[in-house]
């Protein structure tokens, strides 16, 4: 049965349709009022889709929903409330009676609805409510939406100004003398008689404004810069017309004592993790709205969501830039638009005839600001464009010659931003524009890029000592804050082949990447330099840079668990640096190569490398490296069964790090002292050290250190018989490492975990873990780890296959890569087998390769 017309609508779409008809609106008229495409409106009325929160609010305004009912309307539109909560529209209803209007107002009718500026409108309202506030200047870069926001604010304020709200466009006014006639024209006031025009206007305003009035002065910046007359006129108006308030829009402030400021920024941009909620972020909503005006059936597919977010991020939410980008939606995908913006900001241009000339492209908008600058301001702004990710005052002065007054002047013109942490930056689209101006002068461009590159490579080099001291965390934060500039400086060094500039920063950058946890980025960072220099003809200058770069890249590969690559790089480094007759250059590569060698079971070679490195590190400036050599020589002593001597040497290295204050190295020293303390039975001391290590690592977000500390807490708990605690700590170690660390550390942790679970009686699970550890150890060619896993697997097979277990244990007990503890453990298990059956104590025909093949394939 057909539903009677008097029944309430059963869907939100039907409700919209009936309300639209009650207001005598066509679909096209409602779509225009709400700022959406007719295509989208048809889908809403047919029930195919629900409006976004933004669009629901615009529909509420277009359908004259009262302020009281608007929140309910939006929630019903979004499906949060049922239709019963919405009052049924009556076919014969008429639009609600409009609120009483002010005596007069002169405001332009916006062509499109305003999106996403509710927080700004609320903030401006709070400021204007201050009794002392009679002049509010809305500032921001060109295209940020100052005029549109000022109009919307003025429209909302009409009821508070019974003497009228008057909008005065000043963009086309060429001199301060023309401001008075422009205001008169906006007020529809005619001059008469010989009296000065300003006096006539002030007299008129004083006589007609008995309660309160609002004057909106739009686009004042070019008049402020010409002379003091424009600012003096504003000041005089406020002084002589007591009931007048002024809202001004300008790219720079007027610097009046009674001036209140509100700086406008870009629209909210959606984070990538909220790509499924684009319509809740006004930057994305504006793009989609404008794109639908160009292409009514425009919709953002799943694959394009991230590209739309990229567009909004590239232009930092600037409404003009978003609208200009959306104008291409009929021809290009979002991904293509984003790539064009990245390539050239001049891409953002359109030919819409109802837009002011200065808003038909970003370049036109910024050309307007550029013309208003003095020559020193233009010079500094163009040079500041070489910075990436902001800059501080010192860098601005050294690289761009920017004095504090010049920075302040550019900031007052909305061309430079002062951030909360006291740094400065340029909006990305302004930076691109200013960079294009700098590139017009090739000599100045090269000079500025060279100055920028040299400044930041020195910046990195100067922090090497701090990175290895108690100031480490502060130095890391400083360098993280300048990462974009450091990357740009490094890239420019490679492009210009000023390798001597890069050389001074290599050691500092290498240690920074390690202690900041940016291991993978660090490996990639050095790769272009290593690759470029390897292609160059041999020369001593290149040898040194290549040798140092190989060392630091090798250390980072070691930390990542890429042992083969690390060894190759550091051996190449030694070959390159040894002929240069500067032993200080060899310290890094000798010490770290020595560390890898003992982890790979080559104890004698490791000891020789560490002792040579230590002999070169006796100068005070190499004390930090000496600590590493001393500590690892102690570690080798422990591996050889000399636990008391090993402990003392490791403690000596640790004391040096404590004196230097390096938290990263202190944590490392505390962590790797634990196996020795466990063997000596010093469990309480071990736990104390590990707790200290965890506190240090957590403070600096040192994941490798935390994962190692949890592994050794598991080792302590296992040794004390606390198997549940041991399993918990070892699982936490693996969880902390995640995919950040691969290779040695994961394999060692799995061996500890397999041994612990074997003690609980779950032998199949223990076997699975030990086999996984064995595979990882094979992948990194670590013979000691393979042997440790083999001993664990053999201990599981002592009852099931005692002959094979005896063969594996005999191999481990006699293998040159096995340390003293492994050999002792294997020998003890062999004694147990021999005690049960003497025939299992014979010679072994097993090799490590045969064990790997059988164990892994089984």
């Amino acid at each position: 049965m057909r539903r009677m017309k008097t029944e309430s609508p059963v869907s939100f779409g039907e409700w919209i349709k009936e309300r639209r008809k009650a207001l005598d609106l066509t679909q096209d008229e409602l779509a225009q009022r709400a700022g959406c495409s007719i295509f989208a409106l048809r889908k809403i009325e047919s029930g195919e889709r629900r409006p976004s929160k933004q669009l629901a609010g615009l529909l509420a305004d277009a359908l004259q929903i009262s302020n009281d009912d608007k929140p309910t309307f939006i929630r019903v539109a979004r499906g949060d409330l049922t239709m019963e909560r919405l009052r049924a529209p009556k076919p014969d209803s008429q639009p609600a009676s409009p609120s009483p209007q002010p005596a007069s107002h002169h405001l332009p009718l916006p062509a499109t609805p305003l999106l996403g500026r509710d927080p700004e409108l609320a903030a401006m309202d709070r400021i204007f409510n201050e009794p002392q506030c009679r002049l509010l200047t809305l500032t921001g870069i060109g295209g940020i939406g100052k005029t549109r926001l000022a109009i919307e604010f003025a429209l909302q304020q009409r009821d508070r100004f019974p003497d009228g709200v008057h909008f005065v466009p000043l963009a086309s006014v060429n001199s301060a003398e023309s401001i008075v006639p422009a205001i008169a024209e906006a007020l529809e006031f005619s001059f008469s008689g010989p009296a000065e025009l300003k006096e006539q206007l002030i007299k008129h305003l004083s006589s007609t404004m008995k309660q309160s009035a609002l004057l909106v002065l739009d686009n004042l910046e070019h008049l402020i810069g010409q002379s003091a007359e424009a600012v003096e006129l504003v000041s005089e108006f406020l002084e002589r017309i007591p009931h007048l308030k002024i809202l001004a829009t300008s790219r720079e402030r007027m610097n009046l004592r009674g001036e209140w400021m509100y700086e406008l920024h870009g629209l909210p941009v959606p984070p990538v993790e909220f790509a499924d909620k684009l319509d809740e972020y006004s930057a994305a909503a504006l793009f989609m709205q404008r794109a639908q005006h160009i292409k009514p059936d425009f919709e953002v597919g799943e694959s394009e969501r991230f590209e739309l977010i990229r567009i909004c991020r590239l232009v930092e939410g600037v409404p003009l830039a978003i609208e200009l980008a959306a104008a291409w939606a009929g021809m290009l995908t979002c991904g293509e638009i984003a790539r064009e913006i990245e390539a050239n900001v001049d891409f953002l241009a359109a030919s819409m005839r109802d837009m002011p000339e200065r808003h038909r492209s970003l370049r036109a908008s910024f050309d307007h600001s550029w013309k208003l600058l003095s020559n020193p301001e233009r010079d500094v702004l163009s040079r500041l464009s070489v910075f990436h990710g902001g800059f501080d005052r010192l860098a601005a002065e050294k690289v761009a010659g920017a004095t504090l007054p010049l920075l302040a002047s550019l900031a007052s013109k909305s061309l430079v931003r002062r951030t909360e942490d006291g740094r400065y930056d340029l909006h990305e689209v302004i930076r691109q524009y200013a960079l294009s101006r700098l590139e017009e002068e090739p000599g100045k461009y090269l000079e500025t890029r060279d100055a920028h590159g040299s400044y930041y490579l020195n910046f990195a080099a100067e922090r090497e000592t701090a990175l290895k001291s108690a100031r480490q965390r502060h130095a890391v934060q400083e360098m993280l804050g300048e990462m974009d500039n450091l990357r740009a400086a490094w890239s420019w060094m490679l492009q210009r082949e000023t390798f001597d500039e890069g050389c001074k920063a290599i050691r500092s950058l290498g240690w920074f990447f390690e202690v900041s946890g940016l291991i993978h980025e660090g490996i990639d960072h050095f790769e272009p330099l290593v690759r470029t220099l390897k292609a160059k003809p041999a020369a001593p200058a290149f040898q040194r840079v290549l040798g140092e770069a190989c060392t630091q890249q090798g250390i980072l590969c070691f930390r990542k668990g890429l042992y083969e690559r690390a060894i190759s790089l550091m051996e190449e480094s030694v070959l390159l640096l040894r002929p240069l007759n500067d032993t200080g250059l060899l310290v890094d590569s000798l010490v770290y190569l020595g560390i890898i060698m003992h982890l790979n079971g080559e104890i004698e070679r490791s000891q020789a490398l560490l002792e040579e490195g230590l002999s070169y590190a006796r100068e005070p400036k190499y004390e930090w490296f000496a600590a590493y050599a001393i500590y690892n020589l102690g570690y080798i002593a422990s591996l050889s069964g000399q636990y008391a001597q090993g402990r003392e040497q490791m403690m000596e290295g640790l004391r040096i790090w404590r004196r230097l204050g390096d938290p990263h190295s202190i944590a490392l020293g505390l962590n790797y002292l634990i196996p020795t303390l466990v063997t000596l039975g010093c469990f309480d001391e071990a736990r104390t050290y590990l707790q200290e290590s965890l506190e240090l690592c957590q403070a600096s977000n040192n994941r490798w250190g935390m994962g190692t500390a949890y592994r050794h807490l598991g080792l302590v708990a296992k040794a004390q018989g606390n198997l549940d605690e041991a399993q918990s700590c070892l699982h936490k170690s693996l969880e902390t490492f995640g995919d950040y660390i691969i290779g040695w550390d994961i394999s060692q942790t799995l061996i500890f975990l397999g041994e612990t679970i074997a003690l609980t009686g779950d032998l199949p699970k223990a076997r699975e873990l030990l086999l996984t550890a064995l595979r990882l150890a094979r992948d990194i060619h670590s013979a000691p780890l393979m042997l440790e896993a083999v001993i664990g697997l053999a201990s599981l097979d002592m009852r099931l296959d005692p002959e094979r277990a005896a063969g594996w244990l005999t191999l481990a007990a006699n293998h040159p890569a096995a340390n003293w503890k492994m050999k002792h453990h294997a020998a003890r298990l062999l004694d147990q087998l021999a005690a049960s059956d003497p025939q299992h104590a014979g010679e072994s025909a097993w090799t490590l390769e045969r064990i790997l093949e059988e164990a892994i394939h089984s």
Side-chain angles (χ1 to χ4, degrees):
M1 179 180 291
R2 182 176 296 176
R3 184 172 56 85
M4 298 293 291
K5 288 186 178 180
T6 54
E7 294 178 9
S8 298
V10 296
S11 72
F12 179 75
E14 289 181 353
W15 194 99
I16 293 290
K17 186 175 181 179
E18 291 194 17
R19 178 65 175 174
R20 171 174 61 77
K21 289 181 176 179
L23 296 173
D24 196 25
L25 295 172
T26 65
Q27 281 186 329
D28 186 55
E29 288 170 336
L30 178 56
Q32 286 188 28
R33 287 191 182 190
C36 67
S37 69
I38 192 170
F39 182 80
L41 182 60
R42 285 173 182 162
K43 285 196 169 188
I44 292 170
E45 289 194 353
S46 67
E48 290 182 51
R49 61 175 282 189
R50 288 188 176 274
S52 66
K53 187 176 180 182
Q54 297 265 11
L55 181 53
L58 295 169
L59 282 169
D61 294 336
L63 293 171
Q64 299 184 10
I65 307 299
S66 70
N67 288 335
D68 290 340
D69 292 336
K70 189 173 178 179
T72 301
F73 175 89
I74 293 173
R75 294 188 66 189
V76 172
R78 298 294 295 148
D80 298 333
L81 295 176
T82 61
M83 282 295 299
E84 287 74 17
R85 299 292 299 273
L86 206 58
R87 298 178 187 175
K90 297 179 181 179
D92 58 349
S93 65
Q94 297 298 319
S97 300
S99 302
Q101 297 297 316
S104 64
H105 66 271
H106 305 85
L107 290 167
L109 183 64
T112 57
L114 183 68
L115 283 176
R117 291 300 194 186
D118 289 346
E120 289 85 351
L121 289 167
M124 291 168 66
D125 187 65
R126 284 194 299 272
I127 295 171
F128 239 43
N129 269 327
E130 291 286 340
Q132 301 91 345
C133 177
R134 295 184 57 213
L135 170 61
L136 173 61
T137 303
L138 188 59
T139 63
I141 65 170
I144 201 71
K146 299 182 293 295
T147 297
R148 182 65 186 84
L149 183 61
I151 292 171
E152 188 70 23
F153 181 73
L155 284 167
Q156 294 185 8
Q157 296 291 316
R158 288 177 298 175
D159 292 347
R160 290 176 52 188
F161 294 97
D163 291 327
V165 176
H166 311 281
F167 182 85
V168 185
L170 297 172
S172 59
V173 172
N174 295 321
S175 65
E177 293 81 5
S178 302
I179 296 177
V180 167
I183 296 173
E185 182 180 348
L187 271 62
E188 299 178 354
F189 170 71
S190 300
F191 296 107
S192 62
E196 184 186 358
L197 300 185
K198 181 181 71 174
E199 291 300 323
Q200 289 189 51
L201 182 58
I202 290 176
K203 183 177 180 181
H204 167 74
L205 293 174
S206 299
S207 63
T208 57
M209 295 179 178
K210 300 298 184 183
Q211 298 182 60
S212 61
L214 174 62
L215 197 61
V216 182
L217 301 178
D218 185 47
N219 284 297
L220 260 175
E221 60 271 356
H222 61 297
L223 300 169
I224 294 172
Q226 282 182 2
S227 68
E229 190 175 337
V231 176
E232 290 170 356
L233 180 66
V234 171
S235 179
E236 188 173 354
F237 269 43
L238 292 171
E239 184 178 337
R240 296 179 60 184
I241 309 170
H243 300 295
L244 178 67
K245 283 197 172 191
I246 295 176
L247 171 64
T249 72
S250 174
R251 299 185 190 189
E252 66 174 295
R253 60 179 301 175
M254 285 181 266
N255 287 317
L256 288 171
R257 283 184 300 172
E259 181 181 27
W260 291 58
M261 301 289 300
Y262 189 82
E263 185 174 4
L264 190 58
H265 301 289
L267 295 169
V269 175
V272 291
E273 58 267 29
F274 291 133
D276 58 337
K277 298 179 180 179
L278 294 179
D279 54 9
E280 295 183 11
Y281 292 84
S282 45
L286 176 61
F287 182 95
M288 293 187 288
Q289 180 200 78
R290 301 307 299 157
Q292 286 171 353
H293 285 195
I294 304 296
K295 185 182 180 185
D297 61 347
F298 174 84
E299 288 191 357
V300 182
E302 189 167 345
S303 62
E304 288 279 271
R305 290 176 182 172
F306 295 104
E307 298 296 346
L308 174 49
I309 292 173
R310 187 153 68 104
I311 291 169
C312 296
R313 282 189 168 182
L314 284 169
V315 300
E316 296 188 33
V318 173
L320 174 60
I322 291 172
E323 291 195 31
L324 293 171
W328 290 94
M331 295 178 61
L332 303 174
T333 65
C334 289
E336 290 170 330
I337 293 171
R339 287 189 288 277
E340 290 292 339
I341 295 171
E342 284 177 323
N344 188 356
V345 73
D346 287 346
F347 166 76
L348 294 174
S351 56
M352 288 169 268
R353 293 185 177 88
D354 61 345
M355 292 181 73
E357 187 67 35
R358 68 183 190 282
H359 283 173
R360 291 186 185 177
S361 72
L362 272 191
R363 176 165 287 277
S365 177
F366 297 146
D367 279 344
H368 178 69
S369 293
W370 185 261
K371 291 173 184 175
L372 302 177
L373 299 178
S374 66
N375 286 332
E377 288 172 332
R378 291 176 188 171
D379 180 68
V380 166
L381 181 62
S382 66
R383 291 179 187 270
L384 290 174
S385 68
V386 302
F387 288 100
H388 294 259
F391 49 89
D392 59 23
R393 274 179 56 190
L394 180 61
E397 182 180 354
K398 296 295 185 183
V399 174
T403 62
L404 184 57
L406 276 170
L407 279 176
S409 178
L410 291 171
S412 74
K413 294 174 169 62
S414 303
L415 295 170
V416 170
R417 300 182 294 201
R418 178 83 184 275
T419 59
E420 290 183 2
D421 58 1
R423 286 168 60 81
Y424 297 86
D425 69 3
L426 273 64
H427 194 290
E428 178 56 24
V429 287
I430 290 179
R431 194 194 69 80
Q432 287 190 43
Y433 173 83
L435 183 61
S436 72
R437 288 288 189 174
L438 182 63
E439 289 170 340
E440 291 172 1
E441 301 180 65
K444 187 165 83 171
Y445 172 76
L446 291 175
E447 174 194 327
T448 310
R449 287 297 306 269
D450 285 345
H452 176 272
S454 180
Y455 178 86
Y456 280 103
L457 292 174
N458 280 321
F459 174 92
E462 289 165 359
R463 277 150 185 78
E464 182 183 355
T465 301
L467 285 167
K468 296 172 179 176
S469 73
R471 293 171 289 152
Q472 183 181 93
R473 290 172 199 160
H474 178 69
V476 167
Q477 288 306 312
E478 282 187 309
M479 292 181 73
L480 285 172
E482 297 291 4
M483 272 307 294
D484 290 337
N485 283 311
L486 289 168
R487 290 189 191 103
W490 188 261
S491 176
W492 183 248
M493 176 271 295
L494 291 170
Q495 187 177 334
R496 295 278 276 174
E497 297 194 347
T498 52
F499 301 124
D500 55 331
E501 287 280 348
C503 186
K504 58 191 175 188
I506 287 176
R507 265 182 172 161
S508 179
L509 286 169
W511 187 240
F512 160 73
F513 283 121
E514 174 165 342
V515 298
S516 64
L518 300 173
I519 306 293
H520 187 77
E521 179 170 346
I523 294 170
D524 290 346
H525 178 85
F526 288 113
E527 181 60 26
L529 178 60
V530 171
R531 190 172 56 247
T532 299
L533 289 174
K534 282 184 177 181
K536 295 282 183 187
F542 291 164
Q543 262 184 266
R544 173 177 177 174
V545 182
L546 178 57
E548 292 206 50
C550 285
T551 299
Q552 298 307 320
Q553 191 180 39
I555 293 170
L556 293 169
C557 287
F558 161 51
R559 290 297 185 222
K560 185 70 177 172
L562 306 171
Y563 279 24
E564 275 195 293
R565 189 178 176 193
I567 292 169
S568 174
L569 283 163
M570 282 191 269
E571 286 182 335
E572 183 176 4
S573 171
V574 173
L575 288 173
L576 287 164
L577 297 175
R578 200 178 283 282
L580 299 181
N581 297 317
D582 184 345
T583 55
L585 298 176
L586 285 165
V587 171
D588 312 43
S589 50
L590 290 171
V591 169
Y592 276 93
L593 188 56
I595 293 170
I596 297 178
M597 288 300 105
H598 77 62
L599 292 175
N600 272 9
E602 298 183 44
I603 301 297
E604 289 184 9
R605 188 180 177 204
S606 170
Q607 185 159 353
L609 288 164
L610 289 167
E611 287 174 349
E612 183 183 3
L614 179 59
S615 70
Y616 299 153
R618 290 302 185 184
E619 293 182 45
K621 65 179 179 179
Y622 296 127
E623 186 179 25
W624 184 86
F625 294 104
Y628 267 90
I630 293 167
Y631 185 93
N632 280 277
L633 285 168
Y635 195 85
I636 287 175
S638 287
L639 291 177
S640 303
Q642 302 168 45
Y643 293 106
Q645 178 188 334
R647 173 182 179 175
E648 181 50 42
Q649 281 185 276
M650 284 189 275
M651 290 298 292
E652 183 184 349
L654 183 57
R655 282 192 290 271
I656 296 173
W657 287 325
R658 286 192 187 281
R659 186 167 66 251
L660 294 172
D662 175 358
H664 190 89
S665 298
I666 292 170
L668 179 150
L670 293 167
N671 283 340
Y672 283 93
L673 186 60
I674 301 309
T676 298
L677 294 177
V678 168
T679 303
L680 294 172
C682 305
F683 301 124
D684 290 343
E685 185 180 353
R687 286 183 179 275
T688 299
Y689 286 162
L690 287 171
Q691 187 57 45
E692 181 186 355
S693 172
L694 280 172
E695 289 172 2
L696 289 170
C697 294
Q698 287 163 355
S700 59
N701 196 28
N702 177 359
R703 283 177 62 186
W704 176 57
M706 283 188 279
T708 305
Y710 285 126
R711 178 174 72 231
H712 286 146
L713 275 171
L715 179 64
V716 174
K718 170 175 165 284
Q720 291 183 298
N722 301 323
L723 301 185
D724 288 342
E725 180 193 355
Q727 288 185 70
S728 174
C729 290
L730 292 166
H731 280 298
K732 195 159 188 178
S733 172
L734 293 170
E735 179 186 324
T736 304
F737 286 140
D739 58 1
Y740 172 71
I741 295 294
I742 59 175
W744 195 94
D745 286 282
I746 304 299
S747 180
Q748 181 69 84
T749 307
L750 288 172
I751 290 169
F752 287 173
L753 185 57
E755 292 171 346
T756 303
I757 288 178
L759 292 172
T760 69
D762 188 350
L763 302 188
K765 181 64 177 176
R767 179 182 300 278
E768 178 187 339
L769 290 165
L770 289 167
L771 282 171
T772 302
L774 181 60
R775 292 188 188 99
L776 288 172
R778 176 202 59 182
D779 291 344
I780 61 172
H781 304 283
S782 175
L785 280 179
M786 287 189 275
L787 291 167
E788 194 170 354
V790 164
I791 293 169
L793 287 165
S795 70
L796 301 181
D797 281 344
M798 287 174 65
R799 290 185 181 180
L800 298 174
D801 193 342
E803 185 176 345
R804 183 171 69 172
W808 289 15
L809 290 168
T810 301
L811 171 72
N814 293 281
H815 200 285
N819 61 44
W820 185 89
K821 189 172 184 179
M822 289 181 203
K823 292 179 179 181
H824 180 74
H825 187 196
R828 183 167 52 81
L829 293 174
L830 279 170
D831 287 344
Q832 292 177 19
L833 279 172
S836 62
D837 188 345
Q839 69 176 352
H840 298 314
E843 293 295 320
S844 171
W846 288 89
T847 64
L848 198 50
E849 291 73 19
R850 182 184 166 196
I851 291 174
L852 285 168
E853 183 177 353
E854 179 169 319
I856 290 173
H857 288 297
S858 68

